[in-house]
Amino acid sequence: MSSSKEKPTLGGTRIKTRKRNIAAPLDPAAFADAVVLIYLENAGDLELVVKNVEASDLNFSRYGDTFFEVVFTGGRTQPGTIKPDEGERHPYSVLDCQPKREAILPSVLYIQKILRRKPFLIKNLENVMQKFLQSLELFEENERQKLAIFTALAFSQKLSGLQPETVFQSLLKDNLVAKGIVLSFVTVFFKEYLVENSLDDLILLLKRGKMDDKLLDCFPIARRSAECFSEHFTKEGLLALVEYNEKKIFEVKLKEMKTALTTQIAEETDISEVIQTAKQHVKDANLPDIEVVRILWDMLMDAVQWSSKNQQQNANSVLRQVKTWSGLLNAFCTSGKLELELMYKVQIQCYEDAKLMKLFPDIIRSLYEQDVLAEDSILLWFRKGSNPKGRQTFVKALESFVNWLEEAEEEE
């Protein structure tokens, strides 16, 4: 019977153990106290505060939100609120200064310097701004003014990396809008931002923040109208903003009118219905008569099926379109002034579009035959027309027709 041999073993075998990442305990309170101390030791001199913040070994990557709470409120706020937490505080915060640009601008420039050295903190700034803007009702009125001025100056100074959309979208909470808090905030913001920036700059900023189409949403529902918008911002001295909004509304209504009429013309809807649609849109948008005449002509020409090769086919299509829809033009060419405006419109288009260059006299004659243009309007254009585009060419082309009109007039 053989005895089994003991198997050799390796001496000093190492047993693998999994390393554990032991995170340092979070202590935002101690961080906040340390930042407050820097403010206090330097008596709020932000130039010195920047230098000492830079020289410190504080963990900004972990406590970025806490840092900006100290900047805005003078100390740490309780988690999930804007209420002061226990701990040291300093009196040099954004909310402790006067609600004036000269008092708040130093804090903006201070943050700008910090962000240049620690760009990762921009997200923390956005976090804190979002929290405060969503909680505006919890602040006093003068504190809301300070936040509005700060926000305007932050964008005016192009604070590195601050995203307008992140900031603006925080405002549109129903309860804040309903109480008029958002309207008050944006009013202060607009006035402050326009001190050093143009209206175009403001509109571009609003577009980046996806707010350019939501300005009325800042008004409580009961006041959400173009009239209230104009009244409010006129009273606040923001006439340029009022004019911009009126122009924007006009353009929207104009587009709606063009879309509706283009569809009806393409579908060959009964002309009486098309006229009614046009009149309703003109009334709703308060469109000037001259603008209506121009729009109608453009839409009729846009609806023509153009041929790239057959000029005669194009001529026939244009004249057929004029004859078919003459009643629409006639409904709005209600004075000699508007008839003359239509002639200028035809003149310019024929001058600028090679396909129409030779059709000018035929179009004018057709408009006359369909009672859209009166004899007096045509003769006035021929003798005293003021638009120079192609005028000499078109006058010569229309000469035989004008002679015919004059002879008919003499016979009468």
Side-chain angles (χ1 to χ4, degrees), residues 305-333:
Q305 300 296 315
W306 298 103
S307 169
S308 59
K309 298 179 180 179
N310 193 326
Q311 181 60 25
Q312 186 58 48
Q313 182 179 330
N314 285 335
N316 293 339
S317 297
V318 169
L319 297 177
R320 189 184 311 115
Q321 188 81 327
V322 171
K323 184 175 181 180
T324 301
W325 296 102
S326 59
L328 177 60
L329 293 169
N330 200 24
F332 292 93
C333 286

Side-chain angles (χ1 to χ4, degrees), residues 43-55:
D45 185 327
L46 295 180
E47 290 291 334
L48 295 176
V49 173
V50 169
K51 292 178 181 178
N52 282 275
V53 164
E54 285 299 308

Side-chain angles (χ1 to χ4, degrees), residues 2 8 45 72 103 109 118 167 198 211 219 233 260 263 265 339 379:
S2 61
D45 185 327
F72 278 99
L109 299 178
K118 302 180 187 296
V167 174
S198 68
M211 278 287 287
F219 284 73
F233 286 114
T263 301
I265 290 171
E339 290 176 20
L379 293 176

Side-chain angles (χ1 to χ4, degrees), residues 25-38 58-59 62-67 69-70 74-79 84-90:
L26 295 176
D27 191 4
F31 176 90
D33 287 346
V35 176
V36 169
L37 187 60
I38 293 175
L58 294 172
N59 192 344
R62 171 168 285 176
Y63 303 118
D65 284 15
T66 302
F67 172 71
E69 289 175 2
V70 174
R76 183 168 174 254
T77 60
Q78 294 178 18
D85 201 357
E86 294 180 358
E88 295 292 328
R89 309 196 75 76
H90 71 84

Side-chain angles (χ1 to χ4, degrees), residues 354-398:
K355 298 191 297 293
L356 297 172
M357 178 67 81
K358 294 181 180 180
L359 288 181
F360 180 79
D362 295 326
I363 292 173
I364 298 302
R365 185 173 190 124
S366 179
L367 289 169
Y368 170 77
E369 292 172 349
Q370 302 302 323
D371 293 327
V372 177
L373 296 178
E375 179 182 325
D376 289 346
S377 298
I378 297 173
L379 293 176
L380 180 61
W381 178 91
F382 185 82
R383 294 165 183 163
K384 298 181 179 179
S386 59
N387 196 301
K389 290 189 173 182
R391 176 167 171 76
Q392 290 183 336
T393 300
F394 294 142
V395 164
K396 186 174 182 180
L398 200 62

Side-chain angles (χ1 to χ4, degrees), residues 195-350:
V195 170
E196 292 185 344
N197 299 277
S198 68
L199 180 67
D200 289 341
D201 293 330
L202 175 60
I203 300 308
L204 181 60
L205 180 66
L206 292 173
K207 285 181 178 178
R208 287 172 54 209
K210 296 184 179 179
M211 278 287 287
D212 58 315
D213 291 325
K214 295 183 179 180
L215 292 181
L216 270 183
D217 292 349
C218 297
F219 284 73
I221 292 177
R223 299 178 60 196
R224 200 167 291 175
S225 67
E227 292 74 21
C228 285
F229 185 100
S230 297
E231 180 184 350
H232 173 78
F233 286 114
T234 298
K235 184 179 178 181
E236 294 293 338
L238 296 171
L239 293 176
L241 184 63
V242 172
E243 291 171 0
Y244 164 80
N245 192 61
E246 290 175 347
K247 181 180 178 183
K248 191 174 181 66
I249 291 172
F250 175 82
E251 289 173 349
V252 169
K253 291 184 176 180
L254 196 61
K255 185 177 180 180
E256 290 173 351
M257 174 181 170
K258 288 180 178 178
T259 300
L261 293 181
T262 298
T263 301
Q264 289 186 326
I265 290 171
E267 294 175 351
E268 298 183 353
T269 304
D270 186 88
I271 193 166
S272 61
E273 188 178 336
V274 178
I275 291 172
Q276 188 58 40
T277 299
K279 285 184 175 180
Q280 188 60 52
H281 279 281
V282 168
K283 180 181 178 182
D284 292 343
N286 194 26
L287 293 171
D289 294 337
I290 288 178
E291 190 68 29
V292 175
V293 169
R294 294 169 181 163
I295 292 167
L296 292 178
W297 179 258
D298 281 339
M299 286 193 301
L300 292 181
M301 290 301 100
D302 288 343
V304 172
Q305 300 296 315
W306 298 103
S307 169
S308 59
K309 298 179 180 179
N310 193 326
Q311 181 60 25
Q312 186 58 48
Q313 182 179 330
N314 285 335
N316 293 339
S317 297
V318 169
L319 297 177
R320 189 184 311 115
Q321 188 81 327
V322 171
K323 184 175 181 180
T324 301
W325 296 102
S326 59
L328 177 60
L329 293 169
N330 200 24
F332 292 93
C333 286
T334 53
S335 68
K337 179 181 178 181
L338 294 174
E339 290 176 20
L340 192 61
E341 187 60 39
L342 177 59
M343 287 196 71
Y344 284 139
K345 181 65 182 175
V346 175
Q347 174 190 343
I348 292 169
Q349 188 166 19
C350 288

